[in-house]
Amino acid sequence: MAATTHHHNPDVNYINEFKGIGSWLTSLDHKRIGLMYMISVLTFFLFGGIAALGIRLELFSPGQTVMTADQYNQFMTYHGAIMVFMVIVPGIPAILGNFFLPIHVGAKDVAFPRLNLLSWYVFMVGALMGIATLFMHKVDTGWTFYTPYSIKTSGAATMMVVAAFIMGMSSILTGLNFIATVHKLRCPGMTMYRMPLFVWAIYSTAILQLLATPVLGITLLLLAAERILGVGIFDPALGGDPVLFQHFFWFYSHPAVYIMILPAMGVVSELIAAFSRKTIFGYTAIAYSSLGIAAVSFFVWGHHMYVSGQSETAGIVFSFLTMLVGVPTAIKMFNWLATLYRGSISFQSPMLFALGFLFLFMIGGVTGIMLATLAVDVHFHDTYFVVAHFHYVMVGGTLMALMGGFYYWFPKMFGKMYNEGLARVTFVFIFIGFNVTFFPQFILGAMGMPRRYFDYIPAYESLNKISTVGSWLIGIGFLISLYVIIDGLLRGKKAPANPWGAKTLEWQVPSPPPHTNFHHDPVVTAGPYEYR
Amino acid sequence: MMWMNVARAQSLMPTRGTEVASQVSNLYSFLLIVSFIASAILIGGMIFFAWKYKRKTDNDKTPYISHSTALEFLWSFIPLVIFLGVFVWGWYVYHQMRDMPKDALEIHVVGKQWAWETQYKSGVKASNLVVAPIDTDVKLIMSSNDVIHSFYVPSFRIKQDVVPGRYTALWFKANKLGEFHIFCTEYCGTQHSGMIGTMKIVSREDYDRWLEEESKVGLLPLAERGAKVFQVKACASCHSVSDAVVKVGPSLWQRFGHEEETSSGEKVMFDENYIRESVLNPNAKIVKGFPSNVMPSFQGQLSEVEMAALIEYLKGLK
Ligand SMILES: [Cu+2]
Ligand SMILES: [Cu+2]
């Protein structure tokens, strides 16, 4: 599949073929839509990040320091809601998935380009509605909207809930589009088993998005109906059941954890293969473990509810099933490790993030098993141990992969190289800052400090101080990354088609790719990691 | 043995105040050790490979190893066995937490924004305080007045959500004397982190004495009795009484006999009737600068004597 040839102008690509802001806002090109997602998600990330720094600043010392208890509760709500619904859920699938999934399977675009653009608009409507509540009576329910608090509290909770509902619609549309693309638009020779593992991961995620998100939608609508119309579904004062809400909520939100992490695992598979210049070890195992995780993840929601009052038997069943999800996850870890064996490993910044991912995800994983263990979870539930655990998975996992993925594909997306030295510096800040911030939180949790606490007893002070200092290091890391991106865009050297020597299809086309991705329809004759 | 404790991270855990707490700690230690070994293999392996197989030239050849069924079986099977073992162990300890003893001492606990109220069989009430005898099965029967709270005693390693509209239960058998923290671990609004209570474990004799003393509250002078009511009804979680500090509501220190400005700009005298109205119908007049609908109404929860006692108490705050 020779890409560049004489009768195509090599200077024309998807960025400069059409001009003007209108050509972006009406573009059906999956690559442009991916970039539009990138700009919006990064903006929301800034909001969520500022909220995080605010939380940590207040917790630097016990007692009221920089904000009131009510303001703190709003900060933690917006931090959670923005980071989950507007950053991590859409993050990798909508940005990198949109951009690379079609190219990875040798397609010109996704199956339904118009739907793809629509899902960006739907996402923006939802996201802006969510942000708009900042200018109304701010929401203080936490991102989990637990009833009956979320029914009783003042604040624009209804609007926030409807916003999350709308963003869910967008997620469903994106998932649908990816599933159709994978099944219908693979180029000649691209069998399912020749797809890069990134595609398998996004595909498994898409199934989850399609099947789980509607449940969240219905739940949130019921909640809105209860707030507006006073129907008694969740409020015991009206004959409802508040714990039912938790079941509904986690029926979505546990699979959502995998909506957030599976794509990251996909990115890491690509990075490890590319920077070890070695075929991935256990391709089928990794591909199927993604599907396996997706399937089992529907049946483990009750592990968030061991102390909610659900029956002992329910707790036991959910604990057992949760242990089962651990197995495919362990398989992936070992496969990545085995891929490194006898590789030719280079430590460019994307690979540093991938190795960082393995390190942090390992800690996130073992602490996950601790939390799945019934008796131990009773102690840790709703303490900082849980906060630390899911940040190790969501941030240590997903965000590290997203950063690694950004740096890896940056040359392809923009046709420019970035400053490699500075990119490594960002890794050092983010990685060290992350551990300084979140490792002490495991200890705080073991000591018994509950989460969502505006104030705490003096015994927790020193570890909270360390954690806050860590958050500043992370902040610096991201500021430098912002500089690396802008600097790369403005002053970066022109990127070759394949700066890393990787084998997947996107590296066989020019950087940046042309509007239709391939100048000649590709025909595939081998797997995605043929380093021989 | 110091190093053993550090290695098992026990020195960082709260004291173990029950047998169940020790069991949880043992299981946690086991998990820590296994996790440490697993991390050493994976992270250690990663670092070792990264160092050993660092890229030497740009044309390095790498072997084409697609998979190994034996290895893959091993690293699926061994984790599975460990996970299942841990699951069973966790279940075993969890069952003890959930298996309510038959003839336990029962104490009722009500969670409300933002305090814990306890009520004993004899009619004795306390707020943010559970007093219980050592070496005795104690069962807490819990419910909530408003939103979901969660009753958590780190030193006992027990926790249970407290849900409006139903009862949940928790039991423990303390084997250490002393005072332990009670935290609320389900987010419940403004003062969530202030919903801290004390679990006081005393000897059987002290326990009986305490009950006895508390039940004599009816014989105390009116103002002292008012102070009790103020504690038990958790007024103190929203109002300070010894200085002018504003908590959720205005300070009640040195207010009696002074004028108060309401949100409508009207001036009212802080007297007996005003206190009565503020407590039974808080929204009738809102103090300037404070939100309405925050202070709960105590309609039907106070007897006339208790009301008089409260007023007497507030009068005396100088
Ligand atoms: Cu979960
Ligand atoms: Cu609470």
Side-chain angles (χ1 to χ4, degrees):
Chain A
M1 33 176 172
T4 39
T5 45
H6 32 276
H7 53 268
H8 295 288
N9 182 348
D11 291 333
V12 175
N13 57 51
Y14 82 102
I15 297 179
N16 62 17
E17 187 166 343
F18 308 100
K19 292 208 166 53
I21 182 96
S23 78
W24 282 84
L25 291 177
T26 58
S27 174
L28 302 182
D29 183 344
H30 65 101
K31 299 184 286 303
R32 286 182 155 213
I33 295 174
L35 287 196
M36 277 152 54
Y37 266 112
M38 179 172 137
I39 293 166
S40 14
V41 168
L42 285 185
T43 313
F44 299 138
F45 180 66
L46 192 71
F47 277 84
I50 290 172
L53 290 172
I55 292 174
R56 283 305 337 154
L57 198 58
E58 171 57 40
L59 293 177
F60 188 71
S61 304
Q64 179 170 332
T65 48
V66 295
M67 57 180 86
T68 65
D70 284 323
Q71 284 166 337
Y72 176 85
N73 292 339
Q74 292 158 2
F75 265 74
M76 69 92 179
T77 300
Y78 282 93
H79 168 65
I82 292 177
M83 288 305 200
V84 170
F85 296 116
M86 306 183 194
V87 178
I88 299 199
V89 167
I92 297 181
I95 303 173
L96 299 176
N98 245 323
F99 202 108
F100 291 105
L101 179 130
I103 312 185
H104 272 160
V105 298
K108 288 197 177 73
D109 207 315
V110 291
F112 311 113
R114 282 197 173 73
L115 200 63
N116 201 14
L117 182 63
L118 178 69
S119 58
W120 182 76
Y121 276 102
V122 173
F123 171 71
M124 287 308 284
V125 169
L128 292 179
M129 268 177 77
I131 297 283
T133 60
L134 277 172
F135 304 99
M136 303 158 64
H137 195 133
K138 296 184 193 60
V139 186
D140 70 341
T141 58
W143 78 276
T144 45
F145 306 119
Y146 267 26
T147 54
Y149 186 77
S150 58
I151 296 167
K152 298 199 155 130
T153 178
S154 46
T158 314
M159 176 126 156
M160 182 61 116
V161 161
V162 173
F165 171 79
I166 294 176
M167 285 185 275
M169 297 290 279
S170 157
S171 185
I172 296 174
L173 296 182
T174 306
L176 180 77
N177 221 334
F178 289 164
I179 293 179
T181 309
V182 166
H183 281 293
K184 290 294 170 202
L185 296 188
R186 276 173 288 125
C187 67
M190 176 62 77
T191 63
M192 287 297 268
Y193 298 102
R194 283 181 183 161
M195 296 192 312
L197 287 166
F198 177 70
V199 177
W200 273 102
I202 297 284
Y203 173 74
S204 311
T205 309
I207 295 175
L208 286 178
Q209 286 174 300
L210 201 60
L211 296 181
T213 320
V215 179
L216 175 75
I218 294 163
T219 313
L220 294 181
L221 272 195
L222 287 177
L223 185 58
E226 180 141 359
R227 275 185 69 102
I228 299 167
L229 306 172
V231 282
I233 300 162
F234 303 124
D235 187 354
L238 301 170
D241 180 354
V243 180
L244 179 67
F245 176 85
Q246 297 177 25
H247 282 287
F248 282 174
F249 181 81
W250 290 113
F251 188 86
Y252 162 76
S253 292
H254 186 81
V257 169
Y258 293 99
I259 293 180
M260 303 185 228
I261 193 68
L262 279 173
M265 295 170 158
V267 171
V268 167
S269 299
E270 298 305 315
L271 297 181
I272 292 197
F275 291 92
S276 310
R277 296 253 173 92
K278 185 156 168 284
T279 194
I280 202 96
F281 184 95
Y283 173 96
T284 359
I286 296 186
Y288 279 115
S289 63
S290 291
L291 284 177
I293 290 174
V296 184
S297 74
F298 276 106
F299 305 102
V300 299
W301 76 89
H303 63 209
H304 299 268
M305 299 172 61
Y306 291 155
V307 303
S308 68
Q310 79 183 3
S311 76
E312 188 184 335
T313 320
I316 292 163
V317 172
F318 284 121
S319 172
F320 173 76
L321 291 170
T322 305
M323 294 293 176
L324 295 189
V325 195
V327 176
T329 313
I331 294 178
K332 281 183 196 269
M333 293 293 290
F334 281 110
N335 279 317
W336 290 322
L337 180 65
T339 305
L340 295 177
Y341 172 68
R342 293 179 65 193
S344 160
I345 301 171
S346 83
F347 298 101
Q348 274 131 327
S349 44
M351 184 61 161
L352 291 180
F353 278 99
L355 297 177
F357 170 97
L358 291 188
F359 183 92
L360 301 179
F361 193 70
M362 181 73 209
I363 298 178
V366 293
T367 52
I369 292 294
M370 295 180 188
L371 289 172
T373 310
L374 284 162
V376 176
D377 181 68
V378 170
H379 179 47
F380 288 152
H381 178 79
D382 268 345
T383 66
Y384 261 85
F385 196 93
V386 175
V387 176
H389 159 71
F390 69 73
H391 280 88
Y392 264 82
V393 178
M394 307 278 79
V395 184
T398 307
L399 217 58
M400 292 300 264
L402 186 61
M403 291 299 293
F406 262 152
Y407 284 134
Y408 177 57
W409 280 307
F410 186 93
K412 184 56 61 184
M413 296 203 271
F414 302 106
K416 302 266 179 72
M417 297 305 286
Y418 52 84
N419 183 327
E420 170 64 18
L422 267 186
R424 290 184 194 184
V425 174
T426 66
F427 169 78
V428 172
F429 271 99
I430 294 176
F431 182 79
I432 294 180
F434 179 85
N435 284 295
V436 174
T437 308
F438 292 105
F439 203 86
Q441 297 187 0
F442 281 123
I443 306 171
L444 281 171
M447 289 166 76
M449 177 170 166
R451 66 192 282 202
R452 296 178 168 178
Y453 259 32
F454 159 73
D455 191 4
Y456 49 80
I457 56 173
Y460 302 147
E461 185 171 354
S462 43
L463 286 166
N464 269 295
K465 284 211 155 39
I466 299 176
S467 181
T468 299
V469 171
S471 74
W472 300 334
L473 296 179
I474 304 183
I476 296 173
F478 278 110
L479 280 183
I480 305 176
S481 329
L482 189 66
Y483 175 79
V484 173
I485 294 179
I486 294 173
D487 174 70
L489 287 178
L490 296 180
R491 285 188 289 271
K493 282 205 305 285
K494 196 173 159 21
N498 191 356
W500 319 117
K503 298 287 182 188
T504 39
L505 278 185
E506 78 274 31
W507 302 110
Q508 322 311 324
V509 300
S511 305
H515 175 56
T516 53
N517 297 345
F518 303 92
H519 286 309
H520 295 283
D521 291 346
V523 175
V524 172
T525 52
Y529 312 110
E530 293 292 314
Y531 300 92
R532 298 207 197 226
Chain B
M1 290 311 280
M2 171 64 188
W3 69 269
M4 261 299 275
N5 271 340
V6 174
R8 294 163 64 209
Q10 295 301 4
S11 53
L12 294 170
M13 300 277 277
T15 12
R16 280 157 281 165
T18 59
E19 164 58 25
V20 166
S22 305
Q23 294 205 29
V24 171
S25 284
N26 291 343
L27 176 50
Y28 177 54
S29 306
F30 174 79
L31 280 163
L32 271 179
I33 293 168
V34 175
S35 303
F36 188 78
I37 297 173
S39 309
I41 296 174
L42 268 152
I43 311 274
M46 175 185 104
I47 294 172
F48 175 72
F49 288 165
W51 162 78
K52 177 123 197 260
Y53 304 112
K54 193 171 161 26
R55 185 169 298 167
K56 315 233 158 40
T57 72
D58 216 28
N59 307 316
D60 285 357
K61 279 270 163 283
T62 59
Y64 191 86
I65 312 172
S66 70
H67 69 287
S68 148
T69 313
L71 265 181
E72 286 176 90
F73 174 77
L74 267 187
W75 67 49
S76 318
F77 188 72
I78 296 176
L80 180 68
V81 170
I82 297 175
F83 294 165
L84 291 184
V86 166
F87 156 70
V88 172
W89 189 346
W91 172 5
Y92 172 75
V93 180
Y94 181 66
H95 178 73
Q96 299 178 34
M97 293 174 170
R98 283 304 194 89
D99 197 23
M100 297 291 156
K102 289 277 151 353
D103 302 307
L105 168 76
E106 289 180 351
I107 304 173
H108 286 263
V109 174
V110 176
K112 60 178 211 181
Q113 285 169 320
W114 291 278
W116 303 104
E117 279 184 5
T118 39
Q119 186 154 17
Y120 289 76
K121 289 254 156 94
S122 63
V124 166
K125 292 178 188 167
S127 127
N128 290 332
L129 175 69
V130 178
V131 178
I134 192 169
D135 291 328
T136 311
D137 289 336
V138 179
K139 180 176 174 184
L140 303 179
I141 301 170
M142 309 189 291
S143 187
S144 165
N145 254 352
D146 34 54
V147 299
I148 303 181
H149 303 276
S150 193
F151 190 94
Y152 174 39
V153 186
S155 299
F156 294 176
R157 314 286 190 272
I158 51 172
K159 180 181 292 144
Q160 174 63 53
D161 283 4
V162 179
V163 185
R166 67 165 75 166
Y167 293 103
T168 53
L170 203 57
W171 83 274
F172 60 86
K173 183 176 177 181
N175 57 19
K176 270 206 178 74
L177 294 173
E179 297 192 355
F180 307 98
H181 284 294
I182 300 170
F183 290 134
C184 175
T185 42
E186 188 61 71
Y187 172 68
C188 57
T190 313
Q191 283 295 317
H192 168 53
S193 58
M195 227 172 123
I196 298 183
T198 306
M199 168 72 71
K200 193 168 172 189
I201 301 299
V202 295
S203 66
R204 192 79 223 185
E205 302 77 63
D206 286 350
Y207 174 72
D208 292 337
R209 196 171 313 129
W210 178 79
L211 270 184
E212 173 87 22
E213 271 168 21
E214 289 298 301
S215 53
K216 287 205 202 101
V217 169
L219 306 173
L220 289 174
L222 213 47
E224 275 178 48
R225 186 156 174 203
K228 279 274 181 220
V229 176
F230 199 82
Q231 278 306 320
V232 170
K233 292 294 168 192
C235 312
S237 59
C238 298
H239 296 289
S240 52
V241 287
S242 52
D243 50 28
V245 169
V246 172
K247 290 189 181 171
V248 178
S251 162
L252 300 179
W253 179 63
Q254 291 187 342
R255 294 307 311 146
F256 196 87
H258 291 76
E259 277 209 328
E260 196 71 83
E261 195 179 346
T262 68
S263 55
S264 59
E266 187 194 348
K267 293 258 194 305
V268 289
M269 177 55 89
F270 195 114
D271 58 10
E272 287 88 348
N273 276 320
Y274 176 71
I275 297 180
R276 189 185 175 87
E277 185 186 55
S278 296
V279 173
L280 298 183
N281 187 9
N283 284 336
K285 299 194 183 76
I286 299 297
V287 183
K288 191 169 183 187
F290 287 90
S292 56
N293 279 325
V294 170
M295 170 154 167
S297 160
F298 290 85
Q299 190 83 50
Q301 298 182 33
L302 294 167
S303 67
E304 278 306 319
V305 188
E306 283 174 321
M307 180 59 86
L310 253 184
I311 292 172
E312 202 52 37
Y313 170 64
L314 294 184
K315 253 187 208 174
L317 293 176
K318 298 210 173 80

